[in-house]
Amino acid sequence: MCGITGYIGYQQAAPVILEALKKLEYRGYDSAGIAVLHQGKLQVRKMQGRLHALEARLASEAAPLQGTLGIGHTRWATHGEPSDANSHPHRAGAVAVVHNGIIENYAPLKAWLCGQGAAFQSGTDTEAAAHLINYYYQRQSRDRPHADPLASAVAAAMERLNGSYALAVIAEDAPDRILAVRKDSPLIVGAGRGEQFLASDVPALLSRTREVYFLEEGEIAALYRDRIAFFNGQGETVHRKAARIDWDAAAAEKGGYPHFMLKEIHEQPKALEDTLKQRLCTGAGGRRDVDLGDMPLEDWKNARRVVITACGTAWHAALVAKHALERFARLPAEVDIASESRYRDPILNSGEVFMAISQSGETADTLAAARLAKAQGASVLALTNTKGSTLAREAGCALYTQAGPEIAVASTKAFTTQLMAVYLMALKLGRLRGSLTQEEYCRHLSALEEIPEKARQILGDERRIQRAAAHCFHKAKVFFMGRQFDYPVSLESALKLKEINYTHSEAFAAGELKHGPIALVDNETLVVAAATQRRLFDKIASNMQEVAARGASLLVITWEGETAFDRTAQEVFPIPRTEDSFSPLLAVIPAQLFAYYCATARGNDPDKPRNLAKSVTVE
Ligand code: F6R
């Protein structure tokens, strides 16, 4: 989704803003722009295309953009096609605005503003917000208690804007401040010395500051060179405490890898270790145990059912969570896609608990589903990678994964760390609910402790996967199938290939093969089978025979040393042995690498997949 940055300080703003925009490139965008204020004049440069095109244009100008205050934007088109005119910042009179989100009532607002004399230059929803702020700015909104007319104008506009927005606003006659506001769209203020920063996401700030403020819903921040002021929607000053970000700045760089995605795939052993380390502890009597932090264990221990919601990859983690909670804790679990559950009037009864899984903690649908659950009085737990995210704050109770910043659009380490967290949770609950003996509990925990090293071994076998990808990347039709724990892995594997190789790939529970998908299987088809559920080996082996008999090529992900599929499969990706229930932690890694190497063989940039955005902050 769109990326917002802002800078006010003593340095030239344009290079600082461009650097921050580059850090937000991973969010996905089609146009970029910047506005810098100098000697009371706004200078706006914006265009369709990548950031380097904007940079080249700035470099070709006779003189560099001067000014120590400015805002920048990368646009991911929603309303109006990608074009120079639709790029942000949008100017209206004396103000310039950048926006992330969707102004849902832009059409009636635009009609009204045109009636007031506003002249629109673009087809965007954002321009309505810019003109509305300018409208109130011109009238100074003196009836409001703000001393600051720009903040007052922003507050007045907020009352009429419907939808979701993170806005950064500057004005020609306000050379000492940037105004920032958010509703249902993230915005983060970074505090420096004599300079302040603004960004949609933490990685854009890491090289500048670790002291950040996560703007609250409806809150306005005024960034001055030497201070930051916060107001609520009523114009009252709010005192905020900065949060400290402990992510390593280097974690948001490529560190010698050609792409963030490959780097993040390789970071999985460490991320899994960190997620484990954070939770494993010594319990009563010196026995190993799991500490789930603030999680309301009594609610969960006594729960009659758990409802889990998420989107995309996180939804696949939720499906694994269902299996794990049912298997280890004998706790019935239901999984709901957030965009469906939020509109379905879901039933949550007393004695049921709710978990939302989200890497970013900012996904619009997941947030809406969690809010709905909270409004129904449910105990809501956020499983997220992002401290200070909206989901973490609103849920009131959060369990964090330790993946570090995930920059690549295609999620990898966030997924496996989510899995690690849900396994730990399921085991702990299994012990508390009495469905696991102490001995079983310890045995499962030991198996989990071996996972990071086993993940490392798979990464050591990368070349084999690269070679297979070189033969398969052009396949037009790829099916992924698996049973039980292998089914969510298949869904996740298909999603990866779709996202970055643009292959029409589909996943199904292998038992469904004969209920439809087999009609599409022919000698043009590639089928990837995940086969790690030993109890069901015979079943998946039959499914493999069925697709092979129809001419499909077959790749299999299975245990090291397993020979059952050698005769049917063209290629086997072996994974080190562990318990069947924990296989998703390992089986997904060859599939991630396969998708990555297919995409690079095709010449795609896996870090910038077409049409996709990292953090889906609008519906
Ligand atoms: C896929 C991917 C997306 C996200 C989804 C949810 O590779 O990254 O499907 O998983 O948009 O995002 P979060 O976890 O941030 O809520």
Side-chain angles (χ1 to χ4, degrees):
M1 299 280 113
C2 306
I4 290 178
T5 63
Y7 175 76
I8 178 166
Y10 51 85
Q11 306 184 54
Q12 287 302 321
V16 179
I17 289 168
L18 287 170
E19 181 199 292
L21 286 178
K22 281 183 202 158
K23 302 264 167 58
L24 293 177
E25 275 193 297
Y26 69 90
R27 292 168 67 89
Y29 71 103
D30 46 57
S31 342
I34 180 169
V36 175
L37 187 60
H38 186 53
Q39 295 179 340
K41 286 270 165 291
L42 275 171
Q43 309 152 86
V44 178
R45 306 284 187 277
K46 55 182 191 166
M47 59 193 290
Q48 182 189 350
R50 313 298 301 181
L51 264 173
H52 57 75
L54 177 68
E55 251 184 324
R57 179 175 154 192
L58 291 174
S60 71
E61 292 184 359
L65 267 190
Q66 294 286 325
T68 55
L69 179 168
I71 52 180
H73 192 261
T74 45
R75 174 172 188 252
W76 189 87
T78 57
H79 291 56
E81 77 283 358
S83 69
D84 292 355
N86 287 340
S87 309
H88 301 209
H90 288 285
R91 274 204 70 166
V95 306
V97 170
V98 290
H99 166 224
N100 178 17
I102 293 178
I103 306 297
E104 287 168 356
N105 59 337
Y106 78 98
L109 280 177
K110 184 172 177 173
W112 181 80
L113 286 159
C114 287
Q116 304 297 315
F120 279 67
Q121 311 292 329
S122 78
T124 63
D125 53 332
T126 303
E127 205 184 345
H131 280 288
L132 194 62
I133 293 168
N134 184 53
Y135 172 85
Y136 287 114
Y137 191 46
Q138 297 313 320
R139 279 152 194 78
Q140 301 277 314
S141 298
R142 291 192 192 284
D143 51 328
R144 290 177 178 269
H146 286 293
D148 175 354
L150 190 56
S152 177
V154 170
M158 276 167 66
E159 286 182 10
R160 294 185 61 186
L161 295 175
N162 295 342
S164 62
Y165 49 84
L167 292 166
V169 185
I170 56 177
E172 285 197 327
D173 43 4
D176 62 343
R177 60 200 183 278
I178 301 175
L179 269 287
V181 64
R182 63 154 270 180
K183 178 180 167 279
D184 293 339
S185 204
L187 202 51
I188 299 157
V189 178
R193 292 203 172 164
E195 55 183 355
Q196 320 294 349
F197 310 88
L198 188 67
S200 306
D201 208 349
V202 170
L205 300 175
L206 282 179
S207 63
R208 301 281 173 185
T209 179
R210 298 306 173 88
E211 303 291 323
V212 303
Y213 298 89
F214 296 92
L215 264 192
E216 297 286 355
E217 284 290 289
E219 197 171 65
I220 300 175
L223 285 69
Y224 298 87
R225 285 179 175 78
D226 59 348
R227 70 193 162 93
I228 306 161
F230 296 92
F231 310 102
N232 63 20
Q234 288 70 52
E236 295 152 354
T237 301
V238 182
H239 294 286
R240 297 288 311 278
K241 211 166 154 271
R244 191 163 169 81
I245 299 295
D246 50 15
W247 280 351
D248 178 5
E253 308 291 337
K254 280 190 204 149
Y257 284 89
H259 298 103
F260 279 111
M261 184 177 175
L262 188 61
K263 174 179 174 251
E264 289 165 7
I265 290 173
H266 278 264
E267 281 172 346
Q268 289 178 112
K270 168 85 169 54
L272 287 165
E273 243 157 37
D274 291 347
T275 303
L276 259 169
K277 250 191 250 152
Q278 186 203 24
R279 298 286 157 217
L280 287 180
C281 63
T282 308
R287 291 191 287 218
R288 56 161 19 103
D289 205 353
V290 173
D291 178 356
L292 293 174
D294 295 342
M295 183 172 159
L297 282 181
E298 275 306 298
D299 291 353
W300 279 70
K301 178 183 162 197
N302 300 317
R304 278 202 285 273
R305 188 177 70 133
V306 49
V307 176
I308 313 171
T309 199
C311 300
T313 289
W315 174 63
H316 302 153
L319 294 172
V320 174
K322 171 186 165 69
H323 279 283
L325 288 165
E326 292 188 350
R327 179 161 299 183
F328 295 118
R330 305 303 299 151
L331 175 57
E334 196 174 295
V335 177
D336 234 350
I337 293 176
S339 56
E340 287 294 304
S341 81
R342 67 178 289 190
Y343 291 115
R344 210 190 50 244
D345 194 10
I347 302 164
L348 269 170
N349 297 309
S350 67
E352 298 182 337
V353 289
F354 185 92
M355 172 161 69
I357 307 182
S358 171
Q359 186 283 129
S360 61
E362 301 294 349
T363 300
D365 285 321
T366 309
L367 282 171
R371 282 175 190 146
L372 201 63
K374 213 165 177 198
Q376 289 186 24
S379 160
V380 175
L381 173 71
L383 176 58
T384 178
N385 192 40
T386 314
K387 284 200 183 121
S389 60
T390 308
L391 182 65
R393 282 177 289 135
E394 289 191 8
C397 172
L399 206 57
Y400 293 101
T401 47
Q402 299 295 315
E406 189 180 66
I407 306 291
V409 170
S411 186
T412 54
K413 61 177 180 168
F415 178 66
T416 42
T417 52
Q418 282 160 358
L419 298 189
M420 183 58 89
V422 299
Y423 283 123
L424 290 168
M425 181 191 289
L427 293 178
K428 174 78 179 180
L429 290 168
R431 187 69 199 113
L432 288 175
R433 288 166 66 90
S435 51
L436 291 179
T437 63
Q438 181 66 30
E439 194 201 334
E440 288 166 333
Y441 182 53
C442 289
R443 184 161 38 79
H444 294 313
L445 289 178
S446 300
L448 283 184
E449 281 182 284
E450 290 170 6
I451 293 289
E453 191 44 44
K454 294 184 175 181
R456 247 176 226 118
Q457 286 171 35
I458 300 173
L459 295 167
D461 203 17
E462 193 174 354
R463 294 289 157 251
R464 177 203 297 253
I465 299 166
Q466 187 174 10
R467 278 195 302 274
H471 291 121
C472 301
F473 73 90
H474 59 277
K475 288 275 185 189
K477 205 169 26 168
V478 183
F479 291 144
F480 290 82
M481 62 178 184
R483 289 168 180 261
Q484 301 293 300
F485 280 97
D486 287 332
Y487 172 47
V489 168
S490 300
L491 287 166
E492 176 59 9
S493 308
L495 181 65
K496 292 290 89 92
L497 197 66
K498 202 178 288 180
E499 284 180 303
I500 58 171
N501 197 41
Y502 314 144
T503 309
H504 190 130
S505 50
E506 186 183 325
F508 49 87
E512 282 292 291
L513 177 66
K514 291 197 217 41
H515 298 284
I518 200 163
L520 294 174
V521 175
D522 56 21
N523 54 11
E524 302 284 296
T525 316
L526 172 67
V527 177
V528 182
T532 67
Q533 305 298 294
R534 280 168 262 228
R535 187 164 68 89
L536 296 169
F537 262 8
D538 292 350
K539 307 281 175 205
I540 189 87
S542 303
N543 298 134
M544 288 185 209
Q545 293 287 354
E546 285 150 8
V547 297
R550 283 157 184 85
S553 318
L554 192 62
L555 299 181
V556 180
I557 302 171
T558 190
W559 304 119
E560 213 165 54
E562 186 54 63
T563 53
F565 315 111
D566 283 358
R567 293 234 299 257
T568 348
Q570 270 75 48
E571 183 81 48
V572 176
F573 297 152
I575 56 170
R577 287 176 182 261
T578 182
E579 294 181 20
D580 288 10
S581 311
F582 299 148
S583 67
L585 286 160
L586 300 176
V588 75
I589 298 175
Q592 295 167 343
L593 286 167
F594 182 68
Y596 173 81
Y597 282 114
C598 281
T600 49
R602 195 187 276 274
N604 293 351
D605 180 346
D607 284 349
K608 299 191 181 78
R610 70 182 180 206
N611 303 338
L612 294 179
K614 180 66 183 161
S615 189
V616 185
T617 52
V618 294
E619 277 190 72

